[in-house]
Amino acid sequence: MSHSGKPVIESNNRLRDSLTSDINKPDFRELDLGSPVSPLRSQPRGLTTTTTTTSSSSSSSSSGSVTGRIRHAPVTGRSGSVTGSQSGSRSDSVTSNSQQPLISSSSATSPANVLPTGNICPSGKIQITGMTQSRSRSDVLGSGTGTYGHGSIMRGGGGSSVSPAKPISTRQALSSPVTVGGSSRSSSDPEEVKRVGNEMYKKGLFSEALKLYDKAIALSPINAAYRSNRAAALTGLARIGEAVKECEEALRLDPNYGRAHHRLGLLLIRLGQVDSARKHLCLLGKPSDPMELRKLEAVEKHMSKCADARKLGDWKAALMEADAAIVSGADFSPHLGMCKVEALLKLHRLDDAQSNLLEVPKAEPFPAHCSFSGIACEAYTYFVKAQIEMALGRFENAVMAAEKASKIDPRSNEVAMLHNTVTLVARARVRGNDLYKSERYTEASSAYAEGLRLDPCNAILYCNRAACWFKLGMWERSVEDCNQALRFQPRYTKPLLRRAACNNKMERWAAVVSDYEALRKELPHDKEVAESLFHAQVALKKSRGEEVLNMEFGGEVEEVYSREQFKAAMNLPGVSVIHFSTVSDHQCKQLSPFVDSLCTRYPSIHFLKVDIDKCPSIGNAENVRVVPTVKIYKNGTRVKEIVCPSKEVLEYSVRHYSG
């Protein structure tokens, strides 16, 4: 009987069966390859042995065919026929390690978990994991005596009774020893370990499942299904890069393993590698699930549009298409995440770019043979990081990131150009700083200008050149460079300070107040900024002809004790804030420290406090019935009254009337 060609048929069947199974679960259906020398097919779950038995083709006491995958030489069975390859499907519970080659056609070593049928074993008891053999019986077969294993014909009557195997727990699967031939070993049945791992996976306990799959792999390193299951657990733990590597290893062990192809294809879609994903999903034509094909095509369409928009410099479109590709299914794509960061940076949204950079998925190890917009994906990651570092003024870090990108993808012209630009800009900045320290301000401004010629959107270089113009007394040019720096980084405090100083020199008090108010939002606890704002507000009042009396920076909340004192305070020019309270009220106790802090932060405003228990006449005159109450007066006229204000509402009102 010839068996040529059967392994190919079997592989195609396995591939079809695997592709139609549920990809979101571990591989519960495995191919029962059986033993090269044993016809056992329905061994109970957990029934295993680690005894190795040698079968001779000359033994002739039992009949039956021999099944199993034959990789090298055909094996002549006991009935004299040559066994062919098994045509069954994957078993849900048992996968035999039958991929080991046979030694010769006359003798074969049985894999670890199979006890051959009809073979004469050495005399003595055979204890099988998960199975209790109540007694062993010796009989005479031919001229010798021996104990027959499972499935042997027992002469003289009286077989052996067995008790069914009990399922093992996770801890037992990981650590319990198995007794074989009277000796204890630290090993167990890999199929039973995998089964428990599958149970952990179903419960969402991916870390526990991963440990069990690792144990199964240690017991049977050449089993592709265990690698695929491990990939499923890693996917559940969001370790996508490692999951891809496990699928690739499964396919190395079994190139026709359909489920591993399917799982790898879906993982590659999530990573945004649509070309590679298509090869694995469409291995037999079209994907078994039309939804998968639609997802693949949607991701492919949006990624193509994103790359085209990026090349054209249409950063709004690039940002929109990157988001669409991620929503369509490429939710774990590092290069799409980095494209969003680059687009936000080019749109001068540096804060958003920085926050998005922290959210970019990390696929480690980084998948090989992946490119985006003509740049290797890993190189593109460093390519964008170099631009971020440049924008933040960390030029040395930018150079290192550009160098890494250049080493990873030395053939990319875009990477090479960025590396050259970053290097030259960093040198120009260092030269400009050295000249500035030497008080050679004109030459320093030229050095910064050289850097801006290469990187015309660099806020740091604009701010540095503005400092040179300030030192040279060129206030207008300094303000212009500060404006450019703030255009690219609106929350950059240095150009705000520098522009305020320039406007102060030119006595543009309204602009000075505006700059310092913006700085107060960014630096609310900076006393120097608060004092500068106070003096700018006083100067603005004087420039408008308003009367300014006894205005001092850093005053405290003034406590009012009489109606005369209260009336005098109300007639003061400017804004006055009166806090009506009592010592015994809990809300007043909570609000008083906040009012004290407002007094420090808004030094141009008069803050007063009235205890209505001590001065009931003032409370009655002002009709205060509930405390805390805050009233705001401007130039002697009441403009606002707030009963039981929150801190947010009170500060908003004070800030509104302080201008």
Side-chain angles (χ1 to χ4, degrees):
M1 176 196 288
S2 172
H3 64 281
S4 61
K6 289 190 177 182
V8 176
I9 296 171
E10 179 193 31
S11 298
N12 289 335
N13 289 337
R14 292 170 57 208
L15 183 58
R16 256 184 239 102
D17 292 342
S18 300
L19 284 173
T20 58
S21 58
D22 188 354
I23 193 60
N24 293 322
K25 297 180 180 179
D27 302 328
F28 302 126
R29 294 179 53 81
E30 307 299 343
L31 181 61
D32 183 6
L33 298 178
S35 167
V37 294
S38 172
L40 292 180
R41 294 295 305 280
S42 59
Q43 185 167 281
R45 197 176 275 180
L47 194 63
T48 180
T49 180
T50 56
T51 304
T52 302
T53 309
T54 303
S55 172
S56 172
S57 61
S58 61
S59 303
S60 59
S61 293
S62 61
S63 61
S65 62
V66 181
T67 60
R69 180 187 290 186
I70 309 301
R71 287 183 176 261
H72 295 283
V75 178
T76 304
R78 297 182 184 279
S79 60
S81 63
V82 180
T83 58
S85 62
Q86 174 179 316
S87 60
S89 62
R90 292 184 178 268
S91 166
D92 190 42
S93 60
V94 179
T95 300
S96 174
N97 300 328
S98 60
Q99 298 182 15
Q100 299 174 0
L102 296 178
I103 305 302
S104 67
S105 61
S106 62
S107 65
T109 301
S110 174
N113 296 327
V114 179
L115 184 63
T117 299
N119 291 348
I120 301 175
C121 302
S123 61
K125 295 182 179 180
I126 300 178
Q127 186 171 349
I128 302 174
T129 304
M131 169 178 176
T132 304
Q133 186 166 335
S134 62
R135 60 194 178 99
S136 63
R137 175 168 179 162
S138 299
D139 203 350
V140 178
L141 180 62
S143 59
T145 60
T147 301
Y148 295 85
H150 182 277
S152 299
I153 299 174
M154 307 301 290
R155 294 190 177 183
S160 62
S161 62
V162 297
S163 60
K166 295 182 179 180
I168 61 175
S169 66
T170 306
R171 183 175 297 179
Q172 289 172 328
L174 287 170
S175 61
S176 61
V178 181
T179 304
V180 180
S183 62
S184 178
R185 298 185 188 176
S186 294
S187 62
S188 54
D189 178 7
E191 277 299 306
E192 181 64 16
V193 174
K194 186 200 77 171
R195 184 191 67 77
V196 180
N198 291 350
E199 294 298 324
M200 295 298 106
Y201 183 93
K202 290 177 183 178
K203 296 176 182 177
L205 303 174
F206 302 122
S207 295
E208 293 298 321
L210 182 62
K211 293 175 184 177
L212 289 160
Y213 295 144
D214 286 339
K215 177 72 172 177
I217 290 170
L219 293 168
S220 181
I222 62 172
N223 191 303
Y226 300 165
R227 293 285 182 178
S228 183
N229 282 17
R230 189 174 193 272
L234 288 168
T235 302
L237 294 169
R239 293 159 61 179
I240 304 300
E242 295 174 70
V244 168
K245 292 297 180 183
E246 285 301 314
C247 287
E248 291 173 346
E249 178 62 17
L251 292 175
R252 186 189 69 79
L253 294 170
D254 186 353
N256 294 317
Y257 191 1
R259 178 166 296 195
H261 280 290
H262 193 195
R263 178 166 286 142
L264 180 55
L266 295 182
L267 288 172
L268 291 173
I269 289 178
R270 295 188 66 186
L271 289 170
Q273 299 184 46
V274 289
D275 292 337
S276 299
R278 187 183 296 276
K279 294 176 184 177
H280 291 282
L281 287 179
C282 303
L283 198 63
L284 293 178
K286 292 185 177 180
S288 57
D289 186 352
M291 289 293 293
E292 294 169 1
L293 182 59
R294 286 196 289 271
K295 179 190 287 188
L296 176 67
E297 291 173 345
V299 171
E300 187 175 35
K301 179 186 72 175
H302 291 300
M303 285 190 64
S304 177
K305 289 183 177 181
C306 178
D308 291 342
R310 182 184 176 277
K311 289 179 180 178
L312 294 172
D314 187 352
W315 296 108
K316 288 184 178 179
L319 181 62
M320 181 180 67
E321 293 297 337
D323 276 327
I326 290 169
V327 171
S328 297
D331 62 331
F332 217 89
S333 171
H335 48 279
L336 282 175
M338 294 307 291
C339 183
K340 286 183 61 178
V341 172
E342 185 180 24
L344 290 166
L345 180 63
K346 296 295 185 180
L347 293 169
H348 313 309
R349 294 165 57 183
L350 182 59
D351 291 340
D352 292 335
Q354 285 182 274
S355 61
N356 273 263
L357 182 62
L358 300 175
E359 298 172 2
V360 173
K362 293 178 175 56
E364 297 175 352
F366 213 97
H369 313 298
C370 170
S371 63
F372 175 72
S373 193
I375 306 175
C377 289
E378 187 174 7
Y380 181 62
T381 298
Y382 288 106
F383 177 87
V384 176
K385 285 182 178 178
Q387 297 178 67
I388 289 283
E389 297 289 3
M390 282 278 287
L392 294 172
R394 299 194 286 251
F395 294 89
E396 294 79 7
N397 293 348
V399 171
M400 288 190 291
E403 286 176 350
K404 287 182 179 179
S406 185
K407 288 179 181 178
I408 295 169
D409 192 353
R411 294 178 296 179
S412 171
N413 291 331
E414 195 172 359
V415 170
M417 289 176 62
L418 178 73
H419 184 202
N420 183 61
T421 298
V422 168
T423 303
L424 293 176
V425 171
R427 289 176 183 171
R429 182 247 192 177
V430 169
R431 186 166 61 256
N433 288 355
D434 291 341
L435 291 167
Y436 184 90
K437 291 175 184 176
S438 301
E439 298 183 359
R440 298 159 65 182
Y441 303 120
T442 302
E443 295 172 74
S445 66
S446 299
Y448 294 133
E450 183 181 344
L452 286 168
R453 181 178 57 81
L454 297 167
D455 186 10
C457 298
N458 195 292
I460 309 301
L461 296 179
Y462 277 116
C463 187
N464 286 6
R465 192 171 68 173
C468 295
W469 301 139
F470 184 86
K471 289 291 186 180
L472 293 169
M474 304 171 71
W475 321 121
E476 288 288 359
R477 296 190 70 174
S478 183
V479 167
E480 289 174 5
D481 275 355
C482 288
N483 290 339
Q484 284 291 90
L486 291 167
R487 174 191 169 196
F488 299 124
Q489 290 190 36
R491 298 181 62 184
Y492 189 13
T493 57
K494 277 190 177 181
L496 270 174
L497 282 166
R498 195 150 284 146
R499 188 173 69 181
C502 291
N503 285 322
N504 185 76
K505 291 287 186 180
M506 294 183 287
E507 297 185 353
R508 296 174 178 172
W509 303 117
V512 176
V513 169
S514 176
D515 285 338
Y516 280 123
E517 285 178 340
L519 283 164
R520 287 289 286 162
K521 294 178 183 179
E522 297 298 324
L523 307 169
H525 304 294
D526 191 309
K527 291 185 178 181
E528 291 185 9
V529 171
E531 186 172 1
S532 298
L533 173 61
F534 169 76
H535 292 303
Q537 289 171 332
V538 171
L540 178 61
K541 291 177 183 295
K542 288 181 178 180
S543 68
R544 291 173 177 173
E546 297 180 16
E547 187 177 1
V548 179
L549 299 173
N550 301 323
M551 293 189 67
E552 296 181 2
F553 174 74
E556 297 179 353
V557 177
E558 181 182 355
E559 189 165 359
V560 177
Y561 296 101
S562 64
R563 292 189 63 182
E564 291 73 17
Q565 184 185 2
F566 180 79
K567 289 180 180 179
M570 293 305 96
N571 292 323
L572 289 174
V575 178
S576 300
V577 176
I578 301 96
H579 176 211
F580 294 91
S581 65
T582 62
V583 176
S584 58
D585 187 81
H586 178 67
Q587 282 185 283
C588 293
K589 289 180 180 179
Q590 288 185 323
L591 190 62
S592 290
F594 184 70
V595 174
D596 292 339
S597 69
L598 290 177
C599 180
T600 303
R601 290 160 58 189
Y602 296 90
S604 63
I605 295 177
H606 305 287
F607 284 87
L608 301 99
K609 179 170 62 176
V610 177
D611 189 330
I612 61 173
D613 286 341
K614 296 180 180 179
C615 301
S617 59
I618 298 177
N620 292 331
E622 292 292 315
N623 197 28
V624 176
R625 298 289 180 264
V626 179
V627 290
T629 292
V630 175
K631 295 186 179 184
I632 301 177
Y633 288 78
K634 188 168 186 177
N635 298 323
T637 303
R638 189 175 68 191
V639 294
K640 184 93 172 176
E641 180 175 351
I642 318 169
V643 178
C644 297
S646 66
K647 294 179 180 180
E648 293 77 13
V649 170
L650 179 57
E651 182 169 13
Y652 173 81
S653 301
V654 169
R655 184 169 62 247
H656 175 73
Y657 289 105
S658 65

